[in-house]
């Protein structure tokens, strides 16, 4: 549902304790967070296609709601596909920028941002509670090197980022879409890698991780076959978990259940052919 301007003003909600889900009845047409992320930023401007993500609407706690209202105008980015952004302007500096696609509740992202303040992280997801949680964590930790993107990462890459603007790409525990008929929804596909390669600088690191072994094998096969990337592992296989990727609570629970987590570390090779540059703009 799209947000509308000039919605009727709702009564001020009563104070909430931190961590308590917000229960606010909105009037018809009232945006969920007037100063926060839009429900569908790209709207119907772009073609319908099979998406690799499933939007989730969960309850938002008072702390998350406060962060969305207060910090989204400063650190949020609605992915509408209507403009090209300069990352140096978005972050206010010229430090390297890594794109993270799918960050869940943002705990790992916040840990990586705190451990490496000289690297900017543009973290993209469609999960509203996670967006609010990451903003809250960044604010509490004084991490000004985090920006939160709301919407479709494909539109961000294709329409809003300039060539060679990214210093890295992280895709941790994407939806494995385990049923065979849904494999076409998986994010790591040749077409996605071709698009991502145009936005990654030569030498940029692509780091994927998954606890779904069949998907890990597919990732390895697709990345190995792609001419724009090379495996950082001499044996051509999976990589040990690097120290900069935190062990998340979700991952720990999976390991306790006997799941096998595989990391893949591939590097963008030097440019050879620009003829595959995708169309940018409408």
């Amino acid at each position: 549902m799209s947000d509308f301007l000039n919605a009727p003003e709702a009564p001020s909600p009563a104070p909430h304790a931190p961590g308590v889900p917000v229960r606010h009845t909105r009037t018809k047409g009232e945006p969920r967070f007037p100063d926060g992320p839009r429900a569908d930023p790209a709207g119907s401007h772009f073609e319908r296609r099979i998406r690799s993500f499933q939007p989730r609407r969960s309850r938002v706690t008072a702390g998350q709601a406060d962060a969305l209202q207060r910090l989204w105008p400063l650190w949020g980015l609605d992915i509408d596909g209507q403009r090209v952004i300069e990352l140096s302007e978005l972050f206010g500096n010229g430090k390297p920028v890594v794109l993270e696609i799918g960050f869940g509740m943002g705990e790992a992202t916040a840990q990586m941002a705190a451990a490496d303040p000289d690297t900017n992280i543009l973290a993209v997801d469609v999960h509203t509670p996670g967006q609010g949680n990451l903003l809250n964590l960044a604010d509490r930790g004084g991490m000004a090197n985090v920006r939160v993107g709301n919407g479709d990462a494909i539109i961000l890459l294709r329409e809003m980022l300039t060539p060679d603007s990214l210093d890295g790409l992280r895709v941790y525990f994407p939806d494995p879409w385990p049923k065979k008929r849904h494999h076409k929804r998986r994010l790591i596909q040749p077409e996605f890698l071709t698009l991502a390669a145009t936005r990654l600088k030569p030498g940029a690191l692509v780091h994927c991780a998954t606890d779904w072994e069949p998907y890990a094998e597919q990732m390895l096969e697709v990345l190995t076959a792609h001419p724009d990337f090379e495996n950082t592992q001499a044996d051509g296989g999976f990589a040990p978990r690097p120290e900069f990727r935190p062990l998340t609570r979700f991952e720990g629970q999976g390991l306790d259940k006997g799941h096998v987590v595989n990391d893949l570390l591939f590097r963008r090779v030097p440019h050879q052919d620009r003829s595959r540059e995708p169309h940018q703009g409408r």
Side-chain angles (χ1 to χ4, degrees):
M1 180 183 297
S2 300
D3 295 344
F4 294 89
L5 297 177
N6 302 320
E9 185 175 350
S12 299
H16 289 274
V20 176
V22 174
R23 296 178 179 269
H24 170 52
T25 301
R26 288 173 287 147
T27 58
K28 185 177 180 180
E30 180 188 359
R32 194 178 189 192
F33 302 101
D35 296 320
R38 290 156 55 191
D40 186 11
S44 59
H45 297 297
F46 299 95
E47 76 286 352
R48 293 186 177 274
R49 61 176 177 79
I50 296 173
R51 290 184 173 181
S52 62
F53 60 88
Q54 182 67 40
R56 294 173 293 155
R57 296 301 177 195
S58 304
R59 291 180 178 177
V60 177
T61 68
Q64 294 162 2
D66 173 72
L68 287 167
Q69 283 289 103
R70 186 166 46 86
L71 299 171
W72 190 261
L74 300 174
W75 291 347
L77 172 68
D78 276 313
I79 300 172
D80 57 12
Q82 301 301 297
R83 66 196 189 283
V84 176
I85 61 174
E86 290 294 336
L87 293 175
S88 59
E89 295 180 5
L90 181 67
F91 285 92
N93 58 62
K95 295 178 181 178
V97 178
V98 171
L99 172 65
E100 182 178 357
I101 300 177
F103 56 80
M105 294 304 292
E107 292 97 340
T109 306
Q111 290 182 53
M112 290 185 289
D116 186 9
D118 289 327
T119 296
N120 294 324
I121 301 176
L122 174 53
V124 175
D125 209 307
V126 294
H127 188 219
T128 309
Q131 294 168 350
N133 199 58
L134 178 54
L135 287 171
N136 195 27
L137 291 172
D139 183 41
R140 286 163 47 192
M143 292 168 274
N145 58 330
V146 174
R147 297 293 182 271
V148 179
N150 169 51
D152 191 339
I154 300 295
I155 293 176
L156 173 70
L157 285 164
R158 192 183 65 198
E159 308 290 342
M160 300 180 69
L161 296 182
T162 58
D164 297 353
S165 56
L166 295 173
D167 295 86
L169 173 65
R170 295 168 181 168
V171 183
Y172 299 153
F173 304 100
D175 194 325
W177 296 103
K179 295 181 180 179
K180 187 174 182 179
R181 68 177 183 271
H182 291 158
H183 285 184
K184 58 189 174 183
R185 296 180 180 273
R186 289 176 172 176
L187 179 63
I188 305 302
Q189 307 275 7
E191 296 81 5
F192 169 77
L193 293 175
T194 296
L195 171 61
T198 66
R199 305 301 182 240
L200 290 164
K201 297 176 183 177
L205 192 67
V206 174
H207 184 194
C208 303
T210 180
D211 64 339
W212 192 260
E213 289 188 81
Y215 195 11
E217 294 290 347
Q218 179 189 327
M219 288 182 179
L220 182 61
E221 179 181 350
V222 171
L223 278 160
T224 300
H226 202 286
D228 290 332
F229 299 96
E230 62 182 6
N231 200 332
T232 62
Q233 304 304 298
D235 63 359
F238 298 110
R241 179 177 66 88
E243 292 185 0
F244 66 80
R245 183 176 75 76
L247 183 68
T248 66
R249 180 175 53 184
F250 168 82
E251 183 179 358
Q253 291 172 347
L255 292 172
D256 290 340
K257 297 176 182 177
H259 295 184
V260 176
V261 176
N262 286 297
D263 284 74
L264 301 95
L265 290 170
F266 278 70
R267 200 170 299 281
R268 173 68 165 102
V269 300
H271 298 311
Q272 297 179 352
D273 181 15
R274 282 292 189 181
S275 63
R276 291 181 292 108
E277 170 71 16
H279 172 69
Q280 186 173 13
R282 297 180 64 186

